[in-house]
Amino acid sequence: MKKIMLTAALLFAGITASLADNDRPIALDKLPAAAQTFLKTHFADLTLAYAVEDPKFVGSEYEVTYTDRTEVEFRPNGEWSSVERRYAAVPASIVPAQISDYVAKSSFPNQYIKKIERDAYTWEIELSNGIEIKFDREFHVIDIDD
């Protein structure tokens, strides 16, 4: 029984290691439909530098980079998980109103959001001055890091 368990553990470790850092370039039309629609809606005016697929144990994640160094990351289902713009604000249409209102009414009124990330439990933004603000699902501030 120990041999079977050891063999299974080694096999699992080998599969996991073979999937690590296995990014491969892809064409935009190979992205999930939701990701293609998101890019056409919010970044149609930018020039594509490259897109990569990152295979995971289940599904793939995607990253699209534009020539102005804008980066957009997608989950396997095509929903965006992160948008980062180096020299401009992220599109206002992807920022929840509660977050936009907080930034506008807080002590950061002249700053813009250059990065936004979301997961099932939190939203995190980075302002143009480098301050990072984390929100819970109800958009209450849970952390500010400068």
Side-chain angles (χ1 to χ4, degrees):
M1 185 66 174
K2 285 184 179 181
K3 286 184 180 183
I4 292 173
M5 294 300 284
L6 180 61
T7 303
L10 290 173
L11 180 62
F12 180 74
I15 290 172
T16 304
S18 70
L19 290 175
D21 199 30
N22 197 16
D23 294 354
R24 59 180 173 237
I26 61 168
L28 282 183
D29 63 348
K30 300 298 182 194
L31 292 171
Q36 291 181 42
T37 301
F38 181 82
L39 295 173
K40 288 175 188 170
T41 302
H42 301 288
F43 300 103
D45 59 330
L46 298 181
T47 304
L48 176 70
Y50 61 90
V52 294
E53 177 182 13
D54 183 12
K56 299 295 182 187
F57 195 67
V58 176
S60 293
E61 293 178 352
Y62 305 91
E63 182 179 325
V64 176
T65 303
Y66 291 95
T67 55
D68 73 342
R69 298 183 57 197
T70 294
E71 295 177 358
V72 185
E73 295 179 3
F74 297 96
R75 295 186 182 98
N77 64 0
E79 290 183 1
W80 68 271
S81 59
S82 174
V83 175
E84 182 174 5
R85 309 256 351 239
R86 302 274 191 223
Y87 308 109
V90 300
S93 55
I94 68 170
V95 179
Q98 299 92 324
I99 293 176
S100 295
D101 291 346
Y102 177 82
V103 172
K105 294 176 182 174
S106 67
S107 57
F108 317 110
N110 298 324
Q111 301 300 314
Y112 61 86
I113 299 171
K114 68 180 230 173
K115 182 176 182 179
I116 185 165
E117 294 181 50
R118 66 180 184 169
D119 62 31
Y121 306 104
T122 61
W123 290 76
E124 187 171 340
I125 62 170
E126 182 180 342
L127 301 177
S128 53
N129 64 358
I131 291 178
E132 296 176 358
I133 306 170
K134 194 172 199 176
F135 300 84
D136 64 13
R137 279 192 279 199
E138 287 79 38
F139 301 104
H140 299 110
V141 175
I142 56 176
D143 188 30
I144 296 178
D145 187 17
D146 53 354

